[in-house]
Structures are given as structure tokens and as C-alpha cells.
Amino acid sequence: MSAPQPAREDLLRRLAAAPALDLLVIGGGATGLGVALDAAARGLAVALVEREDFAKGTSSRATKLVHGGVRYLAQGNVHLVREALRERARLLANAPHLAQPLPFVLPLYGARGRWLEKWFYGSGLLAYDLLAGRAGLGHTAFLGRAEALEAAAGVRGAGLAGAVRYWDAQFDDARLAVALARSAIARGALVVNHCAAVGLLHDDGRVAGAVAEDRASGAQYALRARCVVNATGVWVDEIRRMDRDPGRELVAPSQGVHLVVGREFLPGGHALLVPRTRDGRVLFAVPWLGATILGTTDTPRHDLAAEPEPFAEEVEFILREAAGILERAPTRADVRSAWVGLRPLVRPPDARPGDTKTLSREHLVLAERSGLVTVTGGKWTTYRAMAEDVLAACMARGLLPERPAGATVALALAGAPASAQQPLSAAPGLHLYGTEAALVASLPGAQRELAPGLTEAMVRFAARYEYARTVEDVLARRSRLLFLDARLAGSLAARVAAILDEELGRAFNATESERSFVELAARYARLPQ
Ligand SMILES: Cc1cc2nc3c(=O)[nH]c(=O)nc-3n(C[C@H](O)[C@H](O)[C@H](O)COP(=O)(O)OP(=O)(O)OC[C@H]3O[C@@H](n4cnc5c(N)ncnc54)[C@H](O)[C@@H]3O)c2cc1C
């Protein structure tokens, strides 16, 4: 595809012309982008502003699984699982270059408990298959020791009794977010990154829009809209505090750490699952873009840092649990990148006259007396269904005109090919660009590789078509090198800055962009003592 696409400057010019918006979305993670795309696909006039970059928050820091949530099944939450499995199938069909099936192996150790465990987990996963129905990706199977060792290269052999194999899926979260943004823009939405909501506008006490500030130029835009959706993840209370009478805080953050080690620790094409760690959580080892992701944790925090750092105990915990299932135990020296995502734990809101709330599934939609609609929680897998819930709440309150749901059920996202070319577990490359691979390959520098799977042409494509404005936008979220190998990513900062300088001209501060990325990469490369 080489469809003409408006530049960021064009989008800002159109915002400055004070368009009559139906909907203004604040926050460009999975949730906000899903809402903007759905509303645009239903023909509404939409704008979205993102303070940093698309998916800069939690949405680039997921475990990269598109999953029904086996653990909800254990809690008996069949409805939640069935819906997530349905959404999993839709995402795989709508973005096969960025979301694909992945086999999982749950290793069973020791003779005692082995049959009980096998029965417990095996029957749960067979139920998972049944719930998936036609959306199923493959059948759950019981593997003997020899079969397990063959299917799951890298799994610890000592004491292995057998395994259960089941199917789920994985994705590239940040590239999917960029695809959502571009798909919404293609349907007329004004979606702009590096543009923060700095205040709400009110008419007679009712929310009537927001003031947005372009972080590069400092220019402010008064954006008036019939409906304002606050989709700022763990930061929703900051926006609620801009409202009159904001009520009690909704979110308590908790953090999840991931460590990335080389592919040699898990060389096959499957993921491993520890269903119950020593502290009762689930832990994954996932092959992703030529590396192995280990994680995650769940540790309460009191601040809302843009770049939270891991705690030493979390690193030790992940390495210890990984050593329990991997033949080759990873050490601190093997870790190539450590990154942290914040999870919004939603406190049930006050019941105040005039508010309506749905605390369904894992997410909250709160329509406040002022008209501000806040959404938080949930998971990437169900972003599309969440968007439908949010728009239903806005329409039920008369904030948006009624339009039928379902516009995004079969909506192919930017770059979506008919089917996947390469597994997502393979090293990055042109296949991640789907139908746009030929366009990327036609840009200057297509043969000049900066790092395995990253060419100069890809950096140019990120600037020209994917709204990248900084070295970090390129190396963290268009390419995922920061998450895969932070030291290597840091070493490329100057070369990427030079290419962006050519592409973006005066809008780009090369020195500052390079400096701040080098600092960030050093943080991702460093483990706490
Ligand atoms: C550790 C971890 C692992 C996870 N793994 C998975 C997984 O494997 N699969 C899965 O399905 N789900 C997973 N999830 C859940 C999933 O990642 C989240 O549900 C999802 O990313 C939340 O998206 P969001 O858009 O609500 O929040 P965010 O992605 O945080 O987006 C909010 C955005 O709002 C912006 N913002 C804040 N203030 C302003 C402002 N004033 N103006 C403009 N913009 C603003 C921020 O910059 C940010 O980009 C995981 C979550 C965590 C924490």
C-alpha cells in the first residue's frame, strides 16, 4: 500500500481550524486508539491527542499475548474468556502481520502431584478449546516426556514428567497501536501524537472539549467536542482532576516487569507457561522477534512514573522462576533489556447521583455528571470490544449520535496482508510491514542495515508514514530494538538521529533526541542491585 496519508503538520492545521468534533479522545494507547478508530469507522468526527507517542504508556509494555485468559477460566469467568477468545480471532484476522497464533507448553514436573496437575490443567485447557469453538487455533494435547522435550526445545529436562500443549496468540503491541492510529487517520480522524491535553473546557459546568498543546511548538488548540473520552490508562485521575468536582481517585498502579534474554534460551517456536509461581502468579517465557521475553510481576507502586524501573526483588524472582523451567538458567548478565509496565488497579468509584458506571470484565467505563467519560483497565486483547462499550456508554448518555456497533469487527488494519508471511517469534524484518513491505523497500537506504532487521529505509518510513518524531519513537516503538537489546539500541542513537534530521528538518532537535534516548537505553540495560 502507498495510500497518501496526511502529515502530522496537516493534522495539526486541521485541529487549529477548530473543527466541529463529535468526539475528542485523550490518550493514544490501545484503549483510546480503539475508541477513535471505532468512532471514525462509524462516520463520526473524531480527534485524539496523545501526550507522548502512541503506546508510550502501558500499551508498548505488555507480555505480547493475545489471549483468552486461562486464569479467568480457573475463576469460573466463562463469559470473559469466551469474549476474549472471540476478540483474539478477530485481531488475528484483521492484522495477521502483527498478531499470530502461538503454541504454549505447560511443563509438568515430578512424579507426585503429576497426575493431579495434569488432570487439573489439562481439563481446564480442554475447556478453553471448547469455549473457543470455531475461534480455536489448535487442539490442547497431553505430551509425554519425550514429546515434551521435542516440542519445547529449551525446557528443563530434569524431573520433567510430561506437558500440556495448548494454543493462544502473540502480537507486536506498539506496532499494532501505530496501525490503529493510521487506520483511524485513514477514516478521517485527527490523531496526533506528542500533543497533550492540558485542560478541560466547560460550558455551564458540562465538559465541552479540551485544550491541547503541541509539545514541539508549544502551540495550543481549543478543541470543542460533544463528547470527551478520557483514555489515559493509569493517568486517568490527572484528567479527572481537570474537571469540576472530580470525585475520589479511581486508580492504584501496580507494575509488571519483563526481562529479555537471547533466543537460545527458548530456541523452539513455542512459549512456556508456569501456571503457579511460588507467589501464586502466572509466569511466561515467550519467543518474540528473535528474543525471549520472561515475565511478569505485579508489585504495587505509589507513583505514576513515565519510565518506572524494576525492583531488585522482581528481577531475582523472574530469573529464579525461569530457572525452574529452562534447561539453561538465565543470569543477570544474560539480560539484554528490562522494561516495566503500569497496570491500573481500579478502585470501585463512589456512587454519586448522575454518574453511570459499568465495571464489566476487567475495565471500568465511568460517565460522570459533568459529561466526562473515563475508561481504564482491561487488556490489549479486548481493546476492540472495550471501544464498543465506551461508545455505547456515550450514546446511552446522549453525548454521541446513535450509530450501530460492529464497524470494526472485520476492519483490516493498516498494512494487513491476507495472511502472515513469517512467525512473530522470528527476528524482525520487512514481514512486519505486511502489504507495505514493498514501499519500505523502495525508500533510500533499503540495503543499509543499522542492526539485524532494521534498515535506514525503515527509519525513513517511520518518519514519513508512521508519525515518528524522535529517536525513541523509532527505536522503542516502530522498531522494538530498545525492548530487545537496549545496549545495541543505544549505540544506534546518533545514526537514527542523523536520518531523522534529514527527514524532519527543523521540526527535529537531533542533539536532544539523541541524548535523551542514550540515557533511556542505559536505564533499560541496567538492572537494580
Ligand atoms: C505488565 C503488563 C503486561 C500486560 N500484558 C498483556 C498481554 O500480554 N496481553 C493483553 O491483552 N494485555 C496485557 N496487558 C494489559 C494491556 O497492556 C493494557 O490493558 C493496555 O495497554 C492499556 O492501554 P491504555 O490505552 O488504557 O493505557 P496506556 O497504554 O497507558 O495509554 C494511556 C496513554 O495516555 C497518554 N496520556 C496521559 N496523559 C495524557 C494527557 N494529559 N494528554 C494526552 N495523552 C495523555 C499516555 O501517554 C499514554 O500513552 C498488560 C499490562 C501490563 C501492565
Side-chain angles (χ1 to χ4, degrees):
M1 175 198 109
S2 57
Q5 193 180 292
R8 183 172 177 279
E9 290 65 30
D10 294 336
L11 296 170
L12 284 173
R13 257 194 299 278
R14 280 153 65 188
L15 279 184
L21 295 170
D22 293 311
L23 173 66
L24 172 63
V25 181
I26 306 174
T31 310
L33 290 166
V35 172
L37 174 58
D38 192 348
R42 295 193 210 187
L44 299 175
V46 183
L48 178 148
V49 290
E50 160 55 49
R51 177 166 68 181
E52 314 260 352
D53 184 26
F54 306 125
K56 161 75 183 183
T58 307
S59 295
S60 56
R61 299 151 196 265
T63 313
K64 325 299 180 201
L65 305 181
V66 190
H67 57 158
V70 180
R71 76 192 156 99
Y72 302 117
L73 204 55
Q75 296 160 3
N77 207 332
V78 171
H79 169 77
L80 196 68
V81 177
R82 189 181 282 132
E83 179 181 62
L85 290 171
R86 203 164 43 223
E87 288 304 318
R88 181 185 75 178
R90 288 172 176 161
L91 180 54
L92 265 55
N94 294 336
H97 53 324
L98 298 174
Q100 292 166 12
L102 179 69
F104 285 68
V105 167
L106 187 163
L108 300 168
Y109 288 98
R112 268 172 27 117
R114 169 176 120 203
W115 295 110
L116 188 63
E117 266 193 7
K118 181 173 167 180
W119 178 84
F120 181 74
Y121 293 120
S123 55
L125 289 165
L126 286 169
Y128 197 59
D129 275 5
L130 283 175
L131 278 177
R134 282 190 304 148
L137 302 173
H139 293 298
T140 293
F142 293 98
L143 309 179
R145 178 184 154 79
E147 277 178 303
L149 284 170
E150 198 190 320
V155 70
R156 180 168 66 86
L160 184 73
V164 185
R165 182 177 57 208
Y166 72 100
W167 286 81
D168 243 324
Q170 69 177 157
F171 72 129
D172 183 335
D173 47 7
R175 288 199 63 79
L176 184 65
V178 174
L180 288 174
R182 296 178 64 209
S183 303
I185 291 168
R187 280 157 189 81
L190 305 176
V191 177
V192 183
N193 57 356
H194 298 286
C195 189
V198 292
L200 292 177
L201 298 172
H202 290 89
D203 279 343
D204 298 329
R206 306 267 312 159
V207 170
V211 177
E213 184 175 289
D214 175 15
R215 299 189 75 184
S217 66
Q220 292 205 341
Y221 306 88
L223 305 175
R224 296 202 152 262
R226 296 169 64 161
C227 178
V228 178
V229 168
N230 170 17
T232 51
V234 288
W235 296 278
V236 285
D237 290 313
E238 286 180 14
I239 301 296
R240 293 176 70 244
R241 280 196 290 273
M242 297 173 186
D243 201 0
R244 315 256 163 92
D245 183 24
R248 193 161 61 76
E249 303 241 312
L250 293 180
V251 165
S254 107
Q255 77 174 24
V257 173
H258 294 93
L259 304 180
V260 173
V261 296
R263 187 61 190 277
E264 63 276 14
F265 288 90
L266 195 62
H270 58 277
L272 292 180
L273 162 69
V274 184
R276 200 172 163 77
T277 59
R278 267 156 264 200
D279 69 350
R281 292 183 41 77
V282 173
L283 190 110
F284 292 98
V286 182
W288 187 70
L289 299 182
T292 304
I293 301 177
L294 306 173
T296 181
T297 55
D298 191 358
T299 314
R301 294 189 66 103
H302 301 293
D303 61 338
L304 291 170
E307 286 294 347
E309 294 198 9
F311 299 119
E313 314 81 81
E314 293 177 294
V315 172
E316 297 312 320
F317 167 79
I318 293 174
L319 291 176
R320 198 172 56 236
E321 291 291 340
I325 50 163
L326 294 175
E327 184 65 25
R328 207 178 131 191
T331 66
R332 290 168 63 93
D334 296 311
V335 176
R336 297 178 180 174
S337 183
W339 30 277
V340 184
L342 295 181
R343 199 177 272 114
L345 299 179
V346 183
R347 301 186 178 110
D350 304 335
R352 297 190 306 165
D355 289 356
T356 57
K357 61 170 191 267
T358 28
L359 231 179
S360 64
R361 310 192 191 93
E362 298 171 279
H363 65 273
L364 167 78
V365 182
L366 175 66
E368 304 191 60
R369 272 179 301 185
S370 65
L372 180 67
V373 177
T374 293
V375 52
T376 191
K379 60 181 178 182
W380 242 119
T381 305
T382 48
Y383 81 92
R384 200 204 63 81
M386 280 169 67
E388 289 192 341
D389 279 4
V390 171
L391 293 183
C394 299
M395 288 173 191
R397 293 286 294 243
L399 297 166
L400 287 177
E402 292 282 346
R403 298 283 163 88
T408 54
V409 168
L411 188 153
L413 299 181
S419 61
Q421 311 292 311
Q422 292 249 16
L424 273 175
S425 52
L430 270 181
H431 56 278
L432 295 171
Y433 295 81
T435 57
E436 297 178 313
L439 174 58
V440 179
S442 72
L443 298 180
Q447 304 306 323
R448 279 190 287 281
E449 207 169 55
L450 307 179
L454 174 64
T455 62
E456 182 184 315
M458 290 173 181
V459 179
R460 294 189 190 281
F461 184 80
R464 291 184 196 181
Y465 297 93
E466 298 181 319
Y467 300 97
R469 309 295 291 173
T470 68
V471 173
E472 182 191 326
D473 293 354
V474 173
L475 288 172
R477 291 173 293 276
R478 307 310 182 276
S479 147
R480 307 309 309 277
L481 200 59
L482 176 67
F483 291 76
L484 296 169
D485 188 334
R487 267 187 204 89
L488 180 58
S491 73
L492 297 181
R495 289 179 74 188
V496 171
I499 301 165
L500 288 182
D501 206 27
E502 285 178 28
E503 291 290 330
L504 301 174
R506 276 192 312 158
F508 181 64
N509 181 338
T511 314
E512 172 52 23
S513 193
E514 178 188 336
R515 187 205 58 75
S516 65
F517 184 73
V518 167
E519 204 174 280
L520 183 68
R523 288 174 68 169
Y524 278 54
R526 187 172 61 220
L527 293 180
Q529 289 305 318

